[in-house]
Amino acid sequence: MLSILRKARLKDKEMRILMLGLDNSGKTSIVKSIMGEDIHSVSPTLGFIIKTIEYDGYKLNIWDVGGQKTLRTYWKNYFEKTDTLIWVVDSTDRERMDDCRQELASLLLQERLTGASLLVFKNKSDVPGCMNEAEIREALRLDDIHTHTWTIMTCSAMTGHNLQEGLQWVVQDAKDRLFLY
Ligand code: G3D
């Protein structure tokens, strides 16, 4: 039933994208950068922000939800009808990689996220000495994920690097799924 509804929405070319990650990973900056807004005016997201972006004929409704520890218990309120989960990782934050892995792993166990694809954005890649893609893959044990279609992309909210390519993957994945059902 859920997959039929999802397919109907994808046919309408409308998608629901949930952007999550630990606090300070750069979620709001990514959304702002995609929207062409000044990323230097960001302040911590205490609730959530929804932004709609038109991309390749698709209407992408992006939900940017606050990532502080106290707010993570509320994440579940946003799972419903999610087509794609964008998991934003601060690639300079080596200390919290375990926390990051655990939060992602528990999200992927959520029943209401079954069927959602996963894009891991390796953010802050403009910072010298940040973790590379292979290191993040290993730290988050991405190769063990078999329940969701996933990919990892190196990006930077600061320079805008790969953000459009990320959206392109999201839309292409939606198109592919229409043929799969
Ligand atoms: P959040 O929404 O995930 O909590 P924010 O994260 O978007 O508020 O970003 C947290 C901090 O990281 C901000 O710095 C922001 O400028 C910085 N940041 C986000 N993306 C990048 C990036 O790609 N490169 C670099 N170098 N910095 C980034 P401040 O200093 O305002 O806390």
Side-chain angles (χ1 to χ4, degrees):
M1 181 64 186
L2 216 100
S3 69
I4 294 170
L5 286 176
R6 190 173 276 136
K7 184 174 175 177
R9 261 178 321 113
L10 291 180
K11 268 207 172 120
D12 285 346
K13 298 197 161 184
E14 183 160 354
M15 296 186 68
R16 179 165 162 144
I17 298 165
L18 184 58
M19 174 116 38
L20 292 177
L22 301 187
D23 49 298
N24 205 48
S25 54
K27 300 175 291 295
T28 305
S29 302
I30 286 176
V31 172
K32 287 202 166 212
S33 183
I34 289 171
M35 303 292 293
E37 294 170 13
D38 178 15
I39 77 156
H40 298 287
S41 63
V42 297
S43 48
T45 308
L46 294 178
F48 65 89
I49 303 167
I50 313 168
K51 294 271 182 177
T52 300
I53 295 169
E54 301 277 345
Y55 191 86
D56 196 13
Y58 277 74
K59 188 172 163 193
L60 310 179
N61 299 309
I62 303 186
W63 294 62
D64 166 17
V65 182
Q68 282 138 302
K69 222 173 184 118
T70 48
L71 298 174
R72 292 180 207 164
T73 48
Y74 299 104
W75 281 357
K76 59 180 180 296
N77 301 326
Y78 300 93
F79 292 164
E80 213 73 58
K81 303 191 196 107
T82 294
D83 297 300
T84 307
L85 171 66
I86 299 183
W87 183 251
V88 182
V89 181
D90 177 349
S91 56
T92 68
D93 191 359
R94 292 172 190 268
E95 287 76 36
R96 290 205 298 167
M97 235 8 106
D98 259 351
D99 193 10
C100 183
R101 174 180 52 76
Q102 283 166 17
E103 292 289 355
L104 175 61
S106 71
L107 277 176
L108 296 180
L109 292 174
Q110 298 291 329
E111 203 180 324
R112 279 176 297 164
L113 288 176
T114 314
S117 294
L118 169 70
L119 166 62
V120 176
F121 256 154
K122 185 184 94 67
N123 193 34
K124 306 196 187 181
S125 299
D126 56 287
V127 179
C130 70
M131 292 170 77
N132 65 31
E133 213 168 282
E135 287 176 306
I136 298 282
R137 265 178 107 108
E138 194 178 329
L140 301 185
R141 299 191 196 138
L142 296 182
D143 292 304
D144 292 345
I145 299 174
H146 302 294
T147 47
H148 297 70
T149 301
W150 63 271
T151 195
I152 178 169
M153 289 179 102
T154 292
C155 77
S156 165
M158 199 62 91
T159 65
H161 176 63
N162 258 352
L163 299 182
Q164 296 295 324
E165 288 79 354
L167 294 185
Q168 183 58 54
W169 183 85
V170 166
V171 167
Q172 186 55 49
D173 169 67
K175 289 179 183 170
D176 293 346
R177 276 190 273 171
L178 274 175
F179 287 106
L180 274 180
Y181 290 134

